[in-house]
């Protein structure tokens, strides 16, 4: 099966060089219209490489989102940047595996892909099996905050966002249930949040149809899982790590737990 690379760039010269060079490596270039489209291509397994031009706004956020993915989903991450500051600094700090300096040369691309794929192959062999993640979008006062799901349960989800999640209630969210084309959307209360962007959300409002889809998805996941649990979807699975420094909602987790038991 031919491999694909998701590319986000508006520079014609870079795009032409990338398309030609990737073609020589039998890799299809997918010119993505947005960062969201590129991340979705990566997370659904359609692209194993992500190349982002740092001349575009939001480039750093796209790379940072990709670095949050588990080894089984994480793509080869390449950044296209000029040698001048701040482009180079932003590219380094974003977590990109390699930087392709402008003007992009074919040998740069080939060498970067060869080195990174060798590392990735070794990492995948050594790593344990990870659960598939999905992108989660939160609608906050300043705009849309993207994140990656850590765990999804019947009553809520834990996520890792690129920036701290504000403590608030009735926060609109949406995501695609992993392994499906079903979009889950509704409202959630932030139960806890850390300065590093990790947060626990309690579903405060889901439509009957959305809740039905969620229960069906959870049922399939439970039947396929080898891990046994009396109740794998209880609120305690959404609790923060013991060593994490977090802020809690004013209502407290105990009230959320009681509400969950009543559902």
């Amino acid at each position: 099966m031919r491999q694909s690379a998701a590319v986000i760039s508006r520079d014609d010269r870079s795009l032409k060089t990338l398309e030609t060079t990737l073609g020589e490596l039998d890799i299809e270039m997918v010119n993505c219209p947005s960062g969201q489209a590129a991340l979705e291509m990566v997370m659904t397994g359609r692209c194993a490489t992500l190349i982002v031009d740092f001349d575009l706004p939001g480039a750093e956020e796209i790379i940072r989102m990709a670095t949050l993915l588990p080894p089984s989903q994480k793509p080869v991450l390449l950044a296209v940047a000029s040698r001048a500051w701040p482009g180079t600094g932003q590219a380094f700090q974003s977590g990109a595996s390699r930087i392709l300096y402008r003007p992009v040369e074919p040998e740069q691309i080939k060498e970067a892909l060869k080195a990174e794929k060798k590392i990735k192959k070794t990492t995948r062999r050594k790593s344990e099996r990870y659960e598939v993640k999905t992108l989660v979008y939160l609608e906050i006062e300043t705009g849309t905050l993207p994140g990656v799901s850590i765990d999804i349960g019947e009553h809520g989800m834990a996520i890792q966002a690129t920036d701290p999640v504000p403590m608030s209630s009735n926060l609109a969210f949406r995501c695609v249930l992993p392994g499906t084309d079903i979009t889950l959307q509704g409202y959630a209360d932030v139960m806890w949040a850390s300065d590093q962007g990790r947060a626990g959300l309690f579903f405060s409002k889901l439509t009957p149809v959305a809740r039905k889809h969620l229960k069906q998805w959870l049922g399939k996941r439970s039947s396929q899982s080898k891990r046994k649990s009396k109740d794998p979807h209880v609120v305690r699975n959404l609790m923060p790590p013991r060593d994490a420094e977090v802020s809690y909602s004013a209502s407290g987790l105990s009230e959320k737990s009681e509400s969950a038991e009543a559902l």
Side-chain angles (χ1 to χ4, degrees):
M1 183 177 178
R2 191 181 186 190
Q3 294 185 336
S4 299
V7 177
I8 310 170
S9 178
R10 300 294 177 268
D11 181 59
D12 291 337
R13 181 176 177 180
S14 295
L15 285 171
K16 185 176 181 180
T17 302
L18 284 167
E19 185 172 21
T20 301
T21 307
L22 291 172
E24 293 175 0
L25 299 173
D26 199 29
I27 299 175
E28 179 185 5
M29 187 186 85
V30 180
N31 192 0
C32 299
S34 66
Q36 179 179 337
L39 286 169
E40 289 175 352
M41 292 289 286
V42 166
M43 297 188 75
T44 54
R46 286 175 283 179
C47 291
T49 301
L50 177 61
I51 304 174
V52 182
D53 191 330
F54 266 66
D55 273 358
L56 297 177
E60 185 175 1
E61 182 180 83
I62 296 167
I63 292 288
R64 286 174 59 197
M65 287 293 297
T67 62
L68 298 176
L69 298 176
S72 59
Q73 283 181 289
K74 187 178 293 183
V76 173
L77 296 170
L78 304 182
V80 177
S82 63
R83 293 183 181 275
W85 188 269
T88 303
Q90 291 175 339
F92 268 117
Q93 294 171 7
S94 69
S97 307
R98 298 271 174 145
I99 298 178
L100 305 176
Y101 291 107
R102 209 185 316 272
V104 180
E105 299 294 339
E107 287 308 312
Q108 272 194 86
I109 302 169
K110 292 178 181 179
E111 186 61 33
L113 288 173
K114 182 179 179 180
E116 287 307 309
K117 287 189 175 181
K118 185 176 181 180
I119 294 172
K120 190 172 180 63
K121 186 176 181 180
T122 303
T123 303
R124 278 188 172 178
R125 190 184 299 126
K126 291 181 178 180
S127 64
E128 59 183 276
R129 188 173 181 178
Y130 286 81
E131 185 178 345
V132 175
K133 305 298 183 183
T134 190
L135 287 171
V136 180
Y137 298 96
L138 306 177
E139 298 302 327
I140 60 177
E141 290 185 2
T142 56
T144 302
L145 177 63
V148 173
S149 65
I150 297 173
D151 193 17
I152 302 176
E154 185 175 349
H155 305 297
M157 70 172 75
I159 71 166
Q160 174 67 61
T162 54
D163 294 301
V165 178
M167 300 298 299
S168 58
S169 58
N170 288 324
L171 200 66
F173 76 90
R174 71 182 189 280
C175 68
V176 174
L177 290 174
T180 75
D181 57 359
I182 298 173
T183 298
L184 180 72
Q185 57 185 357
Y187 294 86
D189 295 340
V190 180
M191 298 190 295
W192 56 267
S194 74
D195 291 339
Q196 288 72 44
R198 183 167 289 199
L201 310 179
F202 179 83
F203 298 143
S204 56
K205 184 179 180 181
L206 289 179
T207 65
V209 173
R211 195 168 292 280
K212 178 182 177 181
H213 285 316
L214 177 60
K215 286 187 176 182
Q216 289 176 340
W217 178 79
L218 288 169
K220 290 180 180 179
R221 188 181 72 162
S222 295
S223 63
Q224 294 171 355
S225 176
K226 294 181 180 180
R227 293 174 298 178
K228 295 182 179 180
S229 174
K230 293 181 179 179
D231 185 0
H233 312 318
V234 293
V235 173
R236 64 173 173 270
N237 285 354
L238 304 178
M239 295 283 283
R242 291 182 179 180
D243 58 347
E245 295 184 5
V246 302
S247 298
Y248 292 94
S249 65
S251 57
L253 286 176
S254 59
E255 293 183 17
K256 298 300 182 185
S257 299
E258 292 173 2
S259 298
E261 292 173 0
L263 292 176

